[in-house]
Amino acid sequence: MPTTTPTLATAAAAMTESQRSSVETQRAAKSFSRRLLLKSAAAVAGVASVGPYILREGHAASGSVKIFSWAGYISPDMLADFEKKTGVKATLTEYGTNDELLNQLKATGGAGFDIIHPTVDRVPNYVEFDLVQAIDESKVKWDGCLKSSVDGSAGMGGVVGGKRYFAPADWGTEALAYDMKKAPLVYGTASYGDLWSPANAGKVTLRGHSSLIGIGLWLESQGKLPHPIRDQFKDEAKARANFDAILKVAAANKKSVAQFWTNENEAQGAFRTNGCVIGQTWDSTAVALRKEGLPVRYIAPKEGSLAWMEGFAIPKKAENLDNAYAWINWFYTPQAGALYTNFSGISSTAVGAEAHLTDLNKQFFADAYPGDALQKLWWWPIQEAWYVSIRNEYQDRFLAA
C-alpha cells in the first residue's frame, strides 16, 4: 500500500511555479467534486477527504463471488485484499467492451456472475432486457461513496423506473493521448481536430464509435453540425443527420488512422509497438504508458473530454447476493479505492482514496485536467438501444470506408 502523501497546503510551500500550478489543479478538482457535480447531476470527481470507513463486522464471512469486469481494472492485489478483509474468495473474468458485457449476459439470461461493471449510461439497456436486479440500498454502505456520484448517477441511467440498479465505482475520460516529443499538445489549443493534422497522418489511433463523437464535437465547435450533438441521443432523425455529416469527415480522413482500438491492450499497443504518436484514448491507456516511462501524456481537448461513470450492478440470476454486496462495500473503503486507482489510473468514487494515491497518479490527474478542463467535461448521455444500433451502423461504415 502506498504511504500517505503530505497535504497540498504543506507541500505547496516549497514548490516551483509549475508544481504549484499542479497543486492548484488538484485543489480545484476537490472543489469541483463538492460544488459542481450535485448541481449538474451529470458528473463526478474522484477526490474528497472524509474520515475512515469500516466494513460491517461479520458480513459475508465466507463463500465466493464471481466478478465480471473490464480488462485491466481489477488487480490481484485487490482480490487478495478483499479476501483478507471479508473471507470471501473472488474470481475475476474480464471483458473489453460494454457490448461484450451486454451480449454475454443476454446469452445467459443474467446468469453466471454476481457482480458486473457497466458504464452508467448503458444500465437502462440491461434493465430493458431484464438482465439485472434492483439494488437493495439498505445493504450498501453509501457513506463510503462520494455523495455527488451517488446522486448524479441517478439521472445518468443508474436509476430506472424509480429503482436503483447501479452503485458508482469510478469515473474517467476519453481524450487526447500524445507523444510529447513527436506530437506535442498544449491545453487550450489542443483539439479533437489535431488528430487529423497532416503532420500526424498514418500515426493516429482511435476507437470507432467514440471517435465519431470527437469529430462531432469538433464540427459543432465550428458551427458545422446540423443539430446540437446532444440532440442526436434523443431523436433518430437528428442522429442520422449528424452522423451523415460526421461520417463524411471521418471517411475523408481515415487514411490518417494507423490502428483502430476496441480495448485497453490494443490502445496501449498502438503507442508501444505500432508507431502511433497521437490518439483518442482512455485516461487509463495514457497513465499505463507513462508508468512504463514512455513519453506519452494525456490532455483534455478544448471541446471537452468525453467523460463516463462506471459502477457495479447485480445480474438477475446472481447466486451469491450477500457476497456481491460485500464486494461493493469493500470497494467503498479508502484503501480499496486507492488500490483501484493506482492500478488502473481511473479515479475511484471511494471517499478518502486520494490520501493513498501514488505521486504519479496525482501528477497525471493534474497534467490531464489543467485550467477549466474539469468544468468542460462532456458527459455521455444515456444511450438507448435504438441509438446504440444507429451508432454501431455508422461505426461499421467508418471502419469499412
Side-chain angles (χ1 to χ4, degrees), residues 336-397:
L339 281 172
Y340 179 79
T341 297
N342 286 332
F343 178 69
S344 68
I346 302 169
S347 296
S348 167
T349 62
V351 169
E354 82 289 346
H356 305 277
L357 296 184
T358 64
D359 289 342
L360 186 149
N361 278 285
K362 289 181 178 180
Q363 190 61 52
F364 177 85
F365 188 89
D367 292 345
Y369 310 109
D372 61 351
L374 290 173
Q375 283 77 13
K376 295 172 70 174
L377 293 176
W378 191 89
W379 289 87
W380 282 100
I382 293 173
Q383 299 184 58
E384 297 182 10
W386 67 264
Y387 178 83
V388 173
S389 177
I390 293 174
R391 181 200 78 179
N392 290 343
E393 173 192 333
Y394 280 86
Q395 171 186 254
D396 291 344
R397 289 170 62 182

Side-chain angles (χ1 to χ4, degrees), residues 86-105:
T86 66
V88 176
K89 176 70 174 179
T91 57
L92 173 66
T93 303
E94 297 182 323
Y95 55 85
T97 70
N98 271 301
D99 289 340
E100 183 181 339
L101 166 59
L102 179 59
N103 291 337
Q104 176 66 32
L105 254 67

Side-chain angles (χ1 to χ4, degrees), residues 52-129:
Y53 169 72
I54 306 297
L55 280 172
R56 183 186 304 171
E57 287 189 26
H59 183 66
S62 63
S64 63
V65 64
K66 297 178 181 178
I67 302 165
F68 198 26
S69 183
W70 294 84
Y73 275 33
I74 308 298
S75 70
D77 286 346
M78 292 179 66
L79 299 178
D81 189 74
F82 171 71
E83 184 172 1
K84 179 181 178 180
K85 299 289 177 57
T86 66
V88 176
K89 176 70 174 179
T91 57
L92 173 66
T93 303
E94 297 182 323
Y95 55 85
T97 70
N98 271 301
D99 289 340
E100 183 181 339
L101 166 59
L102 179 59
N103 291 337
Q104 176 66 32
L105 254 67
K106 288 170 69 174
T108 63
F113 300 98
D114 303 308
I115 283 284
I116 60 173
H117 200 161
T119 307
V120 66
D121 55 285
R122 300 296 298 274
V123 170
N125 301 156
Y126 295 86
V127 178
E128 177 183 356
F129 292 112

Side-chain angles (χ1 to χ4, degrees), residues 283-295:
D283 46 6
S284 53
T285 300
V287 75
L289 295 171
R290 184 167 176 170
K291 286 179 179 179
E292 292 179 16
L294 297 179

Side-chain angles (χ1 to χ4, degrees), residues 23-327:
V23 169
E24 290 302 322
T25 299
Q26 294 175 47
R27 186 176 291 125
K30 290 188 177 183
S31 173
F32 176 78
S33 69
R34 297 185 178 95
R35 172 175 51 81
L36 194 63
L37 304 192
L38 282 175
K39 182 189 299 183
S40 67
V44 59
V47 286
S49 54
V50 183
Y53 169 72
I54 306 297
L55 280 172
R56 183 186 304 171
E57 287 189 26
H59 183 66
S62 63
S64 63
V65 64
K66 297 178 181 178
I67 302 165
F68 198 26
S69 183
W70 294 84
Y73 275 33
I74 308 298
S75 70
D77 286 346
M78 292 179 66
L79 299 178
D81 189 74
F82 171 71
E83 184 172 1
K84 179 181 178 180
K85 299 289 177 57
T86 66
V88 176
K89 176 70 174 179
T91 57
L92 173 66
T93 303
E94 297 182 323
Y95 55 85
T97 70
N98 271 301
D99 289 340
E100 183 181 339
L101 166 59
L102 179 59
N103 291 337
Q104 176 66 32
L105 254 67
K106 288 170 69 174
T108 63
F113 300 98
D114 303 308
I115 283 284
I116 60 173
H117 200 161
T119 307
V120 66
D121 55 285
R122 300 296 298 274
V123 170
N125 301 156
Y126 295 86
V127 178
E128 177 183 356
F129 292 112
D130 196 27
L131 300 175
V132 292
Q133 57 184 279
I135 288 176
D136 183 344
E137 297 194 60
S138 69
K139 294 183 177 180
V140 177
K141 305 296 286 186
W142 296 110
D143 287 348
C145 184
L146 289 172
K147 187 176 186 297
S148 56
S149 68
V150 178
D151 293 350
S153 65
M156 298 166 68
V159 173
V160 180
K163 297 180 180 180
R164 177 172 286 277
Y165 293 86
F166 179 87
D170 57 77
W171 72 278
T173 63
E174 186 175 324
L176 299 175
Y178 64 96
D179 186 309
M180 59 192 300
K181 297 178 181 178
K182 299 178 180 178
L185 297 176
V186 177
Y187 183 70
T189 58
S191 165
Y192 291 112
D194 288 322
L195 295 166
W196 314 114
S197 168
N200 298 322
K203 302 175 183 178
V204 176
T205 187
L206 39 77
R207 183 170 58 159
H209 76 82
S210 53
S211 66
L212 296 179
I213 297 301
I215 293 173
L217 289 171
W218 180 41
L219 294 178
E220 184 177 49
S221 71
Q222 302 174 74
K224 297 180 179 179
L225 205 61
H227 305 284
I229 198 162
R230 287 194 174 276
D231 287 0
Q232 72 185 55
F233 291 82
K234 305 173 183 178
D235 184 285
E236 181 172 346
K238 292 180 179 179
R240 290 190 175 278
N242 275 2
F243 273 129
D244 283 340
I246 292 168
L247 183 61
K248 183 177 180 180
V249 174
N253 288 280
K254 187 185 176 186
K255 60 183 179 296
S256 292
V257 181
Q259 178 189 323
F260 286 97
W261 61 268
T262 59
N263 57 51
E264 186 67 85
N265 289 336
E266 292 174 357
Q268 292 180 24
F271 286 90
R272 191 184 294 117
T273 61
N274 294 334
C276 291
V277 300
I278 191 170
Q280 184 178 319
T281 76
W282 291 324
D283 46 6
S284 53
T285 300
V287 75
L289 295 171
R290 184 167 176 170
K291 286 179 179 179
E292 292 179 16
L294 297 179
V296 175
R297 296 295 182 265
Y298 185 80
I299 197 71
K302 60 185 180 181
E303 298 90 354
S305 302
L306 305 182
W308 38 262
M309 188 191 300
E310 294 167 331
F312 301 120
I314 300 177
K316 185 77 172 183
K317 299 179 181 179
E319 297 179 350
N320 301 292
L321 274 179
D322 284 345
N323 295 342
Y325 287 107
W327 173 265

